[in-house]
């Protein structure tokens, strides 16, 4: 199975009908053991959108009592990870000593920098019927920050600004949108928002960043008349200001930001330098990363 999502360069039969859309990306399924995710970024011909170098749609997954997500300790370099849930709970533990449950609407921002290790386990709902549904994304760090000290910050859901206008609830996860400004730390120009649209409502997507994309989580919408299917992402033209119209109740993610330049990605390691990734591979294989207290398991370095 390919690591990359698939893309289509011409999503419309008549290009004049969707001049706002540069690219349609269709995800690939990735089996993580306990459940399957839809991997949208990186795509083979579109590795990044702004700083977003990785975008996974998790679930919705159903778990019986005693079952749930069990991602063993593993390393990262060169990125910050953002976990954003719609349903369920994940317990985060890392090599800095942080232990923090992530719940719907909140943000766990983990900055790997020169290196961090973390695990993602089932939360307090482990012993009951539960669901898990959300987005896991990575943002690449600017070259000057790739070797910064690792860090972790939790932002409870009430800290994220939101507004409801004409049947659209917009929650800003990162960046700025009109009068809304998120408190979540950014390292370069970054846009990340969730929009919940009532049936028949419309949302104009302003040209807030030079690179932007829309991902449909659920429901039915048209982007300037182009029908988007749940699980698909459209990359927008640079100066386009398209209108999203919801045929049914829908949930849409908006991502974007300024381009950072080429990044190399291997497993959980991201860097502008291939040599730095090779060093990280050796460091993990030889046990030079700090561990996660109380969690002695780990994911071995993949052979490929």
């Amino acid at each position: 199975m390919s690591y990359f999502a698939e893309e289509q360069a011409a999503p419309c039969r008549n290009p004049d009908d969707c001049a706002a859309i540069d690219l349609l990306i269709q995800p690939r399924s990735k089996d993580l053991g306990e459940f399957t995710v839809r991997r949208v970024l990186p795509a083979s011909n579109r590795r990044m959108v702004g700083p977003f170098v990785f975008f996974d749609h998790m679930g919705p997954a159903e778990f019986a009592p005693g079952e749930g997500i069990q991602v063993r300790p593993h390393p990262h370099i060169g990125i910050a990870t953002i976990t954003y849930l719609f349903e369920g709970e994940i317990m985060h533990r890392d090599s800095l000593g942080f232990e923090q449950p992530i719940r719907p609407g909140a943000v766990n921002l983990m900055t790997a920098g020169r290196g961090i290790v973390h695990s993602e386990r089932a939360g307090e709902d482990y012993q009951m019927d539960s669901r898990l549904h959300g987005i896991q994304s990575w943002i690449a760090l600017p070259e000057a920050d790739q070797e910064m000290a690792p860090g972790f910050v939790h932002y409870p859901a009430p800290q994220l600004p939101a507004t409801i206008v004409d049947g659209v609830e917009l929650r800003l996860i990162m960046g700025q949108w009109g009068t809304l400004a998120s408190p979540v730390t950014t390292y370069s120009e970054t846009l990340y928002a969730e929009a919940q649209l009532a049936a028949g409502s419309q949302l104009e997507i302003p040209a807030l960043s030079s690179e932007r994309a829309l991902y449909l989580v659920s429901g039915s919408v048209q982007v300037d008349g182009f029908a988007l299917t749940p699980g698909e992402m459209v990359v927008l033209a640079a100066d386009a200001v398209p209108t999203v119209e919801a045929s049914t109740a829908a949930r849409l993610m908006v991502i974007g930001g300024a381009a950072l330049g080429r990044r190399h990605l291997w497993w959980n390691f991201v860097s502008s330098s291939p040599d730095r990734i090779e060093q990280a591979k050796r460091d993990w294989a030889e046990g030079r990363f700090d561990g996660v207290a109380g969690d002695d398991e780990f994911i071995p370095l993949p052979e490929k």
Side-chain angles (χ1 to χ4, degrees), residues 169-282:
E169 179 180 356
L170 183 71
R171 298 190 78 238
L172 188 62
I173 302 169
M174 304 178 81
Q176 292 187 297
W177 186 313
T179 60
L180 301 181
S182 171
V184 177
T185 297
T186 58
Y187 298 101
S188 64
E189 181 189 303
T190 305
L191 174 65
Y192 193 14
E194 174 195 12
Q196 295 189 64
L197 296 89
S201 65
Q202 295 184 344
L203 174 66
E204 185 179 85
I205 308 298
L208 298 172
S209 300
S210 57
E211 297 191 359
R212 294 163 297 151
L214 309 177
Y215 176 78
L216 185 61
V217 176
S218 60
S220 177
V221 304
Q222 294 79 44
V223 182
D224 275 5
F226 173 68
L228 195 59
T229 299
E232 293 180 336
M233 176 179 282
V234 285
V235 180
L236 301 179
D239 298 322
V241 184
T243 297
V244 177
E245 183 173 358
S247 303
T248 65
R251 172 176 270 134
L252 184 77
M253 308 305 290
V254 183
I255 66 171
L260 289 182
R262 185 179 183 185
R263 290 294 184 272
H264 302 275
L265 188 154
W266 190 92
W267 191 39
N268 300 315
F269 304 138
V270 177
S271 178
S272 58
S273 167
D275 291 341
R276 180 65 182 90
I277 290 178
E278 292 302 314
Q279 181 62 57
K281 291 161 65 174
R282 291 192 296 270

Side-chain angles (χ1 to χ4, degrees), residues 24-290:
L24 171 66
I25 300 175
Q26 296 176 324
R28 286 188 178 273
S29 294
K30 179 72 173 178
D31 187 356
L32 297 186
E34 296 88 4
F35 64 100
T36 298
V37 300
R38 298 181 183 93
R39 179 150 298 161
V40 187
L41 292 176
S44 57
N45 281 349
R46 185 74 191 213
R47 301 297 183 92
M48 302 171 65
V49 175
F52 286 83
V53 71
F54 186 91
F55 191 99
D56 265 6
H57 180 185
M58 306 180 291
E62 305 270 357
F63 296 107
E67 298 179 357
I69 183 173
Q70 297 295 340
V71 180
R72 295 167 291 163
H74 57 281
H76 292 282
I77 66 164
I79 57 169
T81 69
I82 305 103
T83 303
Y84 188 79
L85 296 181
F86 310 126
E87 296 179 89
E89 180 176 317
I90 296 175
M91 177 60 73
H92 163 96
R93 296 180 178 89
D94 64 41
S95 53
L96 299 177
F98 288 97
E99 183 173 324
Q100 174 65 55
I102 174 70
R103 299 186 176 101
V107 167
N108 273 7
L109 178 69
M110 185 185 75
T111 303
R114 61 177 175 258
I116 199 168
V117 177
H118 76 132
S119 64
E120 296 161 297
R121 304 281 194 176
E124 293 181 351
D125 55 3
Y126 184 61
Q127 296 300 337
M128 61 185 76
D129 289 333
S130 62
R131 285 168 59 89
L132 182 65
H133 188 200
I135 303 293
Q136 179 75 54
S137 55
W138 303 350
I139 55 173
L141 298 175
E143 284 197 40
D145 296 325
Q146 289 181 115
E147 296 299 315
M148 68 183 297
F152 177 85
V153 183
H154 176 74
Y155 299 87
Q159 290 188 10
L160 299 187
T163 185
I164 302 177
V165 178
D166 296 333
V168 178
E169 179 180 356
L170 183 71
R171 298 190 78 238
L172 188 62
I173 302 169
M174 304 178 81
Q176 292 187 297
W177 186 313
T179 60
L180 301 181
S182 171
V184 177
T185 297
T186 58
Y187 298 101
S188 64
E189 181 189 303
T190 305
L191 174 65
Y192 193 14
E194 174 195 12
Q196 295 189 64
L197 296 89
S201 65
Q202 295 184 344
L203 174 66
E204 185 179 85
I205 308 298
L208 298 172
S209 300
S210 57
E211 297 191 359
R212 294 163 297 151
L214 309 177
Y215 176 78
L216 185 61
V217 176
S218 60
S220 177
V221 304
Q222 294 79 44
V223 182
D224 275 5
F226 173 68
L228 195 59
T229 299
E232 293 180 336
M233 176 179 282
V234 285
V235 180
L236 301 179
D239 298 322
V241 184
T243 297
V244 177
E245 183 173 358
S247 303
T248 65
R251 172 176 270 134
L252 184 77
M253 308 305 290
V254 183
I255 66 171
L260 289 182
R262 185 179 183 185
R263 290 294 184 272
H264 302 275
L265 188 154
W266 190 92
W267 191 39
N268 300 315
F269 304 138
V270 177
S271 178
S272 58
S273 167
D275 291 341
R276 180 65 182 90
I277 290 178
E278 292 302 314
Q279 181 62 57
K281 291 161 65 174
R282 291 192 296 270
D283 289 344
W284 183 246
E286 296 169 11
R288 287 194 286 270
F289 278 84
D290 292 335

